[in-house]
Amino acid sequence: MKFIYLLWLFLGVYGIAQAQTITVKNQETNEPIEFATLYNENSKVFIVTNSLGEAEISALRDADKIEIRSLGYKTLVKSFAQLQSESFKIFLATSNLNLEEVVVSGTRWRQTTNEIPSKIFLISPTEVTFQNPQTAADLLNITGKVYVQKSQQGGGSPMIRGFATNRLLYTVDGVRMNTAIFRAGNIQNVISIDPFATENAEVLFGPGSVIYGSDAIGGVMSFQTLTPQFSISEKPLISGKAVTRYASANHEKTGHFDVNIGWKKWAMVTSISSWDFDHLRQGSHGPDDYLKPYYVQRADSVDRVVTQDDPLLQIPSAYSQINFMQKVRFKPSEKWDFQYGFHYSETSPYGRYDRHLRVKNGTARYAEWNYGPQKWMMNNLNITNTNKNIAFDQMTIRLALQSFEESRIDRSINKNERNTQSEEVKAYSVNIDFLKSISVKSTLFYGLEYVMNDITSTGKLTDISTGLDVTGPARYPQSTWASIAAYINDEFKLTEKLTFQAGLRYNQFILDAAFDTSFYAFPFTTANINNGSLTGSIGGVYRPADTWVISANFGTAFRAPNVDDLGKVFDPAPQTVTVPNPDLVAEYAYNFDLGIAKVFDDVIKLDATGYYTILQNALVRRDFQLNGQDSIMYDGEMSRVQALQNAAVARVYGIQAGLEIKLPAGFGFSSDMNYQVGEEELDDGSTSPSRHAAPLFGTSRLSYRANKLNMQLYAVYQKERKFNDLPQEEQAKTEIYAADSEGNPYSPAWYTLNFKAMYQLTDMLNISSGIENLTDQRYRPYSSGISAPGRNFYLSVKCNF
């Protein structure tokens, strides 16, 4: 009898232990919900469900309040005892009207948005699957909250709140992606990120320098790639997906495969993607100014201008790309978590289409203007320790080594000399971040950062008639750029309804450059910068009720001069040349924003955020002199000398607004609108519109969901930017804009109508299809050098296992 009693006791304890595995499913479809989060505020414990919707929650055993969330679902709050009484099976009801989401970009640690005064937008894996973006730039663009400029098909330069390029920051798995050669002109590094391997993406709007340092003036784009998932049983967890897609506007042929294999303490994920894009076809209804019905082809040692059979094709714009990712995770105990990640991305060479639009003496200016292969590689080791002590409750160490390679190749028409400039950046970084709960009301986030960039830049001149190479002018000096920083940020919950955050960061930045005077007679051979910046922020979140939120934030941010600012020689516009200027200091921004969000009767959600930013010591191109000369010969023509200088104050203000309506019978409506105004000082004291303050733009969507079907009819649109409203530097770029009735360049208003649908054929298989730009509009987003796709049919098949 005693033996039987002990046996039953053992089985009961065993059953309780097994029951600590929770399963989270969709209430309507009974499908498991991956990436659902379970959070206890007191212990700061976050747990995420795997591909089966399961998670092991023994770390929450004593919790009396567990918040269960997933984007697109209503939040549930239950105690561990309640979960146990429900056999650890949870069903979430769908809802798009949440005011709370789990994010990491605010402090590098997981938090809910009701604790963060800055506006943060989360792009979920479900949304990525439905929207089917071709690149990571398109992934940001589909949000309706980020404007994306393109100079060629192989690119995408986001604009956020009137700032772009090196005044925005990118991170991948918490590692800074910006390098010391990120330029003020448009960049395309974001396409190195694989949208298929992205677990989620976040956009933090406004200053982020307290946590992220230099460049985080207009915002931070944070990409979290797939995390290896453990098995919570004795059986290995094997999951993954395979995707194939075709699109007609550029004859896209894409394939992707990823697989996760997890055991109790070890897990790994492998991902590979391949894209092939043909020349991009623009629409048939729009300005003829966007047509370039020719391309240059070399035959019999002569460059010939060839008339295209299809004038709507934008030649050259074709390119291909491959991405590979491998991650390994080891969790020897509940206290330690080790993750190693390897990322590699490489594109083919591709034409910079906007330069091929330039003409000289009535014919094409260039026979060649291409970017060489863009390569990015990252090795990243992430170590997390959870161990409550006097210094921290949780600690994360990130060690990363990145390698960036890019090049530019150009040759004037019927000239034998080809100019090639190549750059390589080795980026080393160490981040140590700590979380410490001081009390029930106060949580401290603090950390240290070290970043070092080693830049190698070379130039080569090739005589294509003989094949002989000689050394040519490099784009940059041989340089190193370093950043050393410490930060602290405190979250203080004054009441259940009111939370404050305040933070400080000190950053020292050091730049050393050595100039080659063989080609240009610079009046200096070295340049050195060694300065510091102190930034801070303070803000609060007030929740009068569960249905509305008010947030306010004041923050400062900075951008340290980098190698591209200090040392580049290039031609930003016809008959101008930018030369080095070693006398630069950091840009400094002051920003205030106020946000309000309100849900009415669980049917309507309204949110709006207004902001105002002042940028002092703004680095802008101004007329300059080199050795007393205001013009020099460059690329075969006399060019006006300019240089980047701390010569202006810039101001940007605007509003971001959103509306969501839950309609009957599975229908819904949403709309996002963005209005911004930017201006900067000119030499004469007058002002000009800021280049990166996009015209009013937005997206409106009518959606329908029923069981396994998801459909959406939506419009994307942009307001006109008249000639007088164009920035002064844009007014000279006649080749990329349409001409108004007086022959002046301007950016016309445009819209597209689009339809897409996704259907879940089986538990493993879904199919997506759609028609983008239904009316085949020919349009070019503001400041872009290539037109957007015309009418585009796409078909995608995805298999989950």
Side-chain angles (χ1 to χ4, degrees):
M1 188 70 183
K2 185 177 181 180
F3 171 78
I4 295 174
Y5 174 76
L6 291 174
L7 178 61
W8 277 107
L9 180 62
F10 170 77
L11 291 174
V13 171
Y14 178 78
I16 292 173
Q18 290 298 300
Q20 291 173 358
T21 297
I22 195 170
T23 303
V24 182
K25 291 186 176 184
N26 184 309
Q27 188 180 75
E28 298 175 6
T29 65
N30 206 38
E31 296 289 329
I33 300 176
E34 187 177 12
F35 305 127
T37 61
L38 296 94
Y39 171 60
N40 175 252
E41 186 175 9
N42 292 334
S43 65
K44 302 296 181 183
V45 172
F46 266 98
I47 297 173
V48 182
T49 59
N50 62 19
S51 60
L52 302 178
E54 298 176 343
E56 208 285 320
I57 60 168
S58 58
L60 296 170
R61 184 179 295 124
D62 298 325
D64 58 2
K65 185 179 179 182
I66 300 172
E67 300 168 8
I68 306 168
R69 291 186 176 89
S70 184
L71 188 62
Y73 295 88
K74 291 183 179 179
T75 299
L76 282 182
V77 179
K78 293 182 177 290
S79 67
F80 187 87
Q82 288 175 311
L83 295 178
Q84 187 173 12
S85 68
E86 296 174 18
S87 302
F88 296 101
K89 296 186 186 298
I90 294 298
F91 297 88
L92 298 183
T94 57
S95 173
N96 292 322
L97 306 181
N98 290 340
L99 293 176
E100 297 179 6
E101 297 168 357
V102 176
V103 295
V104 298
S105 57
T107 59
R108 292 185 182 270
W109 297 97
R110 282 194 171 99
Q111 293 175 284
T112 57
T113 49
N114 66 349
E115 300 168 333
I116 303 170
S118 298
K119 180 179 176 63
I120 298 178
F121 179 73
L122 175 66
I123 308 171
S124 70
T126 303
E127 186 69 7
V128 174
T129 299
F130 178 70
Q131 295 294 344
N132 262 296
Q134 290 188 338
T135 68
D138 298 327
L139 168 64
L140 293 168
N141 195 38
I142 61 175
T143 65
K145 295 175 171 64
V146 177
Y147 197 88
V148 174
Q149 179 276 353
K150 291 189 178 183
S151 298
Q152 63 281 324
Q153 185 175 203
S157 188
M159 299 181 184
I160 299 176
R161 289 191 174 184
F163 297 100
T165 61
N166 55 18
R167 290 172 180 156
L168 301 176
L169 188 80
Y170 302 85
T171 70
V172 179
D173 293 343
V175 177
R176 176 190 182 90
M177 196 182 192
N178 292 40
T179 72
I181 64 170
F182 266 40
R183 54 191 178 274
N186 300 304
I187 59 175
Q188 51 272 344
N189 299 72
V190 70
I191 68 170
S192 294
I193 301 168
D194 184 355
F196 291 112
T198 300
E199 192 168 282
N200 59 64
E202 297 174 18
V203 182
L204 183 152
F205 295 91
S209 282
V210 169
I211 303 298
Y212 295 100
S214 179
D215 304 0
I217 291 178
V220 177
M221 290 158 284
S222 173
F223 296 86
Q224 174 62 49
T225 60
L226 297 173
T227 302
Q229 298 177 354
F230 296 111
S231 173
I232 54 178
S233 67
E234 297 301 322
K235 184 179 179 181
L237 172 66
I238 301 176
S239 62
K241 63 179 180 289
V243 182
T244 183
R245 184 176 61 220
Y246 171 81
S248 63
N250 52 9
H251 296 293
E252 176 202 8
K253 296 173 283 292
T254 291
H256 167 80
F257 177 80
D258 67 68
V259 60
N260 180 97
I261 304 176
W263 296 271
K264 282 293 190 69
K265 294 185 177 182
W266 288 88
M268 63 179 64
V269 62
T270 303
S271 171
I272 186 167
S273 300
S274 174
W275 298 263
D276 183 80
F277 303 107
D278 205 342
H279 302 298
L280 181 63
R281 179 192 177 277
Q282 59 187 320
S284 56
H285 305 295
D288 290 342
D289 304 282
Y290 294 157
L291 297 176
K292 181 184 73 69
Y294 63 86
Y295 62 94
V296 179
Q297 186 177 67
R298 190 166 181 83
D300 300 324
S301 300
V302 176
D303 294 323
R304 304 182 190 276
V305 177
V306 179
T307 301
Q308 297 174 192
D309 294 330
D310 183 354
L312 299 180
L313 284 180
Q314 300 177 94
I315 302 175
S317 59
Y319 82 104
S320 59
Q321 180 173 332
I322 188 168
N323 275 52
F324 175 77
M325 183 186 77
Q326 178 65 59
K327 284 188 173 182
V328 179
R329 185 179 179 188
F330 174 54
K331 193 172 184 178
S333 68
E334 288 298 318
K335 292 185 176 182
W336 290 97
D337 193 337
F338 299 83
Q339 288 190 53
Y340 165 75
F342 173 79
H343 302 258
Y344 183 79
S345 174
E346 180 176 354
T347 71
S348 66
Y350 52 93
R352 178 168 173 177
Y353 187 77
D354 64 337
R355 292 302 173 96
H356 286 274
L357 297 174
R358 292 186 177 180
V359 295
K360 184 178 181 181
N361 299 326
T363 189
R365 170 75 173 84
Y366 295 103
E368 304 174 41
W369 214 118
N370 303 316
Y371 285 113
Q374 177 175 292
K375 301 178 183 179
W376 170 61
M377 180 176 70
M378 180 170 76
N379 290 275
N380 176 27
L381 178 63
N382 190 332
I383 305 169
T384 300
N385 177 229
T386 302
N387 184 20
K388 292 187 177 183
N389 55 53
I390 193 171
F392 63 86
D393 297 337
Q394 297 179 58
M395 173 188 69
T396 295
I397 301 173
R398 293 180 178 89
L399 310 174
L401 166 61
Q402 298 180 81
S403 173
F404 301 82
E405 293 182 32
E406 57 186 56
S407 57
R408 295 159 180 81
I409 305 102
D410 67 87
R411 182 175 63 84
S412 297
I413 193 166
N414 285 319
K415 300 294 184 181
N416 288 331
E417 185 178 81
R418 176 189 292 136
N419 178 35
T420 303
Q421 294 180 316
S422 303
E423 288 77 50
E424 181 178 3
V425 179
K426 298 290 187 183
Y428 309 85
S429 62
V430 179
N431 289 88
I432 308 176
D433 300 294
F434 303 92
L435 180 153
K436 178 63 180 176
S437 292
I438 304 300
S439 65
V440 175
K441 292 187 174 183
S442 179
T443 302
L444 209 60
F445 308 92
Y446 64 101
L448 304 169
E449 179 183 71
Y450 174 76
V451 178
M452 200 276 279
N453 286 189
D454 189 356
I455 297 96
T456 302
S457 183
T458 60
K460 180 177 68 174
L461 300 175
T462 302
D463 187 328
I464 64 170
S465 64
T466 64
L468 294 178
D469 294 334
V470 296
T471 301
R475 182 175 172 88
Y476 298 114
Q478 310 310 305
S479 315
T480 58
W481 182 93
S483 169
I484 306 167
Y487 77 90
I488 186 167
N489 193 75
D490 183 51
E491 173 195 304
F492 184 77
K493 182 165 285 190
L494 186 64
T495 68
E496 284 296 317
K497 295 182 178 182
L498 183 60
T499 301
F500 289 102
Q501 273 204 31
L504 285 173
R505 179 190 184 102
Y506 181 77
N507 215 119
Q508 191 76 14
F509 48 91
I510 305 162
L511 193 161
D512 295 300
F515 291 88
D516 182 357
T517 56
S518 303
F519 298 93
Y520 305 108
F522 301 131
F524 44 79
T525 57
T526 62
N528 309 96
I529 296 176
N530 190 342
N531 287 316
S533 287
L534 179 68
T535 53
S537 67
I538 184 168
V541 182
Y542 177 55
R543 296 180 60 92
D546 291 339
T547 57
W548 65 306
V549 177
I550 301 171
S551 61
N553 189 59
F554 173 77
T556 60
F558 77 99
R559 187 177 77 82
N562 64 20
V563 176
D564 185 88
D565 299 315
L566 176 143
K568 178 173 62 177
V569 178
F570 83 116
D571 54 334
Q575 299 181 333
T576 63
V577 58
T578 296
V579 300
N581 177 14
D583 299 318
L584 301 176
V585 297
E587 300 178 318
Y588 209 79
Y590 301 84
N591 175 84
F592 175 77
D593 52 65
L594 175 67
I596 300 175
K598 170 70 173 173
V599 174
F600 299 89
D601 298 324
D602 201 30
V603 173
I604 298 175
K605 176 184 173 183
L606 283 170
D607 71 88
T609 302
Y611 57 90
Y612 187 91
T613 305
I614 298 176
L615 182 67
Q616 295 187 333
N617 292 327
L619 286 165
V620 292
R621 276 195 298 270
R622 292 287 185 264
D623 289 343
F624 197 64
Q625 288 190 344
L626 185 64
N627 295 323
Q629 295 180 302
D630 60 10
S631 297
I632 62 172
M633 289 297 296
Y634 181 80
D635 200 17
E637 60 184 10
M638 186 61 67
S639 301
R640 187 173 78 254
V641 175
Q642 294 185 327
L644 282 174
Q645 303 169 55
N646 295 106
V649 173
R651 294 175 176 84
V652 181
Y653 60 89
I655 186 169
Q656 298 170 282
L659 167 67
E660 296 179 48
I661 304 175
K662 185 191 295 183
L663 300 172
F667 285 92
F669 176 81
S670 65
S671 188
D672 287 287
M673 192 81 69
N674 303 267
Y675 172 76
Q676 51 269 306
V677 176
E679 60 181 23
E680 63 183 40
E681 286 182 316
L682 300 178
D683 273 343
D684 61 3
S686 62
T687 60
S688 170
S690 296
R691 176 186 177 189
H692 293 131
L696 182 145
F697 69 96
T699 303
S700 298
R701 302 181 175 94
L702 177 65
S703 59
Y704 174 75
R705 292 185 181 182
N707 297 323
K708 299 181 178 181
L709 178 64
N710 189 356
M711 296 191 297
Q712 193 173 95
L713 177 68
Y714 64 101
V716 183
Y717 38 85
Q718 174 206 290
K719 186 182 177 182
E720 177 186 61
R721 178 63 59 87
K722 296 180 179 179
F723 171 73
N724 290 332
D725 296 327
L726 282 177
Q728 187 182 63
E729 60 184 306
E730 293 293 291
Q731 292 179 354
K733 300 176 182 177
T734 56
E735 71 273 13
I736 69 172
Y737 289 104
D740 63 19
S741 59
E742 298 180 358
N744 294 318
Y746 82 115
S747 181
W750 55 262
Y751 74 93
T752 63
L753 296 176
N754 314 268
F755 174 79
K756 55 184 56 176
M758 182 173 70
Y759 186 74
Q760 188 80 32
L761 292 170
T762 68
D763 291 342
M764 296 178 60
L765 193 66
N766 68 50
I767 184 169
S768 301
S769 185
I771 308 175
E772 298 168 331
N773 194 357
L774 278 159
T775 56
D776 203 26
Q777 297 295 304
R778 183 188 309 138
Y779 69 100
R780 187 169 289 176
Y782 164 73
S783 191
S784 292
I786 190 169
S787 298
R791 185 182 294 118
N792 181 44
F793 300 86
Y794 76 86
L795 177 66
S796 175
V797 178
K798 178 183 177 183
C799 178
N800 296 295
F801 60 91

